[in-house]
Amino acid sequence: TTYPADRSERFFIVRIWYELDGVTSVARWRGSVQTGAAAERRYFASWQEMAGYLAGLAAESDENLPPSLRLA
């Protein structure tokens, strides 16, 4: 596979798991995102929060690209 010379990459480790609330016995999905370079990890209690965080990171990366390569 050939990639453009001005390609920009970021990588993340996304973890999801199912856990029971010890008080209410309600099952919930949880997740975390770890950024590759900084090894920073953020935890999330909802898919919406995680998706918003990843979208924000993509937007930050997008600002550094030439306009022709930006998302949306």
Side-chain angles (χ1 to χ4, degrees), residues 41-55:
R41 186 176 295 168
R42 298 259 325 249
Y43 293 89
F44 301 93
S46 75
W47 291 102
Q48 293 82 5
E49 288 177 58
M50 184 185 290
Y53 176 71
L54 290 169

Side-chain angles (χ1 to χ4, degrees), residues 9-29:
E9 290 185 357
R10 293 183 73 181
F11 68 94
F12 309 96
I13 298 171
V14 176
R15 293 182 170 96
I16 56 172
W17 63 92
Y18 192 72
E19 75 186 17
L20 288 175
D21 183 308
V23 176
T24 63
S25 295
V26 174
R28 300 181 193 275
W29 285 101

Side-chain angles (χ1 to χ4, degrees), residues 8 10 55-67 69-71:
S8 176
R10 293 183 73 181
L57 291 175
E60 286 175 14
S61 294
D62 210 31
E63 292 172 1
N64 298 322
L65 293 174
L69 295 177
R70 293 183 185 164
L71 298 173

